[in-house]
């Protein structure tokens, strides 16, 4: 079984904001997807060395997977990365982040569109640096284009270039030599895939904020 990963928002109250962290935007942030293994987004597209967010620090304490706006980046705890690395090797790059408390939002960002100010935050109670953006550095070309069906039509005939989590039924992947890494990037999919072993390891480690979506 393969899985897509979404953020578990079941802990939120009905009227609460669904996003855990909001990006402090920078010029060209819309192009920084961190999904193309061939692109160094910081050197080639001007993304900051450290990605900065504002969020509710009390709410994200203890979580391992966050829902971010306006870009849906894969924001994982360093603890979760260690769990995945223990399952098996996978080539990746970790982009450090810092999430500032909502209480100082007016100090760390201003203007429209909002940009980072020069205000320095030294108080550890006002920031969280436990999360990273995960960028995989290799493709796993494993999609069976004949047996993967989109509305009953084989993928190579359906006219689609990129599939979302619910677009294919069934989704058929061919195991690469040596098997699948715990998390991997299929060029035709709009999301990363996780193996059953990765899911079990995360569950056994007691990671929080993860919603596993089995792929048909």
């Amino acid at each position: 079984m393969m899985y897509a990963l979404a953020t578990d928002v079941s802990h939120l109250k009905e009227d609460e904001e669904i996003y855990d962290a909001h990006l402090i935007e920078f010029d060209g942030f819309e192009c920084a997807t961190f999904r193309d293994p061939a692109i160094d987004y910081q050197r080639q597209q001007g993304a900051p060395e450290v990605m900065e967010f504002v969020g509710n620090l009390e709410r994200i304490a203890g979580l391992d997977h966050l829902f971010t706006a306006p870009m849906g980046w894969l924001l994982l705890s360093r603890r979760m990365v260690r769990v995945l690395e223990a399952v098996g090797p996978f080539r990746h790059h970790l982009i450090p982040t810092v999430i500032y408390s909502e209480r100082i939002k007016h100090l760390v960002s201003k203007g429209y569109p909002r940009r980072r100010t020069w205000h320095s935050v030294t108080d550890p109670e006002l920031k969280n640096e436990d999360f990273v953006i995960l960028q995989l550095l290799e493709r796993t070309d494993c999609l069976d284009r004949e047996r993967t069906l989109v509305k009953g039509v084989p993928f190579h005939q359906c006219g689609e270039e990129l599939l979302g989590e619910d677009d294919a039924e069934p989704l058929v992947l061919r195991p690469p030599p040596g098997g699948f890494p715990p998390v991997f990037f299929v060029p035709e999919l709009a999301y990363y895939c996780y193996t059953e072993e990765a899911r079990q390891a995360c569950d056994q480690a007691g990671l929080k904020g993860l919603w596993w979506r089995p792929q048909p």
Side-chain angles (χ1 to χ4, degrees), residues 45-129:
Q45 296 197 351
E49 290 299 314
V50 178
M51 308 301 294
E52 297 176 296
F53 298 82
V54 172
N56 185 324
L57 300 190
E58 291 75 19
R59 192 172 92 181
I60 69 176
L63 296 180
D64 295 281
H65 182 271
L66 302 184
F67 192 22
T68 67
M71 305 291 285
W73 286 328
L74 190 58
L75 198 57
L76 307 179
S77 70
R78 296 179 185 274
R79 176 174 58 172
M80 181 170 176
V81 174
R82 291 193 296 269
V83 170
L84 293 173
E85 290 174 332
V87 176
F90 58 101
R91 293 184 57 234
H92 60 282
H93 174 53
L94 302 179
I95 297 93
T97 75
V98 57
I99 305 172
Y100 301 113
S101 170
E102 290 177 332
R103 289 183 288 157
I104 59 170
K105 179 179 180 179
H106 64 291
L107 296 178
V108 297
S109 65
K110 69 176 182 179
Y112 185 81
R114 300 188 72 83
R115 293 292 188 266
R116 180 68 166 94
T117 69
W118 290 103
H119 181 78
S120 178
V121 182
T122 58
D123 186 346
E125 298 296 320
L126 295 176
K127 60 182 179 179
N128 182 312
E129 299 175 281

Side-chain angles (χ1 to χ4, degrees), residues 114-161:
R114 300 188 72 83
R115 293 292 188 266
R116 180 68 166 94
T117 69
W118 290 103
H119 181 78
S120 178
V121 182
T122 58
D123 186 346
E125 298 296 320
L126 295 176
K127 60 182 179 179
N128 182 312
E129 299 175 281
D130 295 336
F131 291 86
V132 293
I133 296 171
L134 176 66
Q135 179 188 7
L136 297 184
L137 296 181
E138 61 185 1
R139 295 175 170 85
T140 303
D141 293 313
C142 61
L143 183 72
D144 189 322
R145 292 169 167 261
E146 179 67 36
R147 296 167 59 204
T148 293
L149 302 181
V150 180
K151 296 180 180 179
V153 178
F155 175 78
H156 69 90
Q157 298 176 351
C158 73
E160 299 290 342
E161 295 184 359

Side-chain angles (χ1 to χ4, degrees), residues 173-207:
L173 304 179
R174 300 184 304 270
F180 290 107
V183 54
F184 57 97
F185 169 63
V186 181
E188 298 88 351
L189 302 183
Y191 55 93
Y192 287 163
C193 287
Y194 298 77
T195 62
E196 177 67 33
E197 293 76 14
R199 184 194 66 79
Q200 291 182 7
C202 291
D203 288 350
Q204 291 170 3
L207 302 188

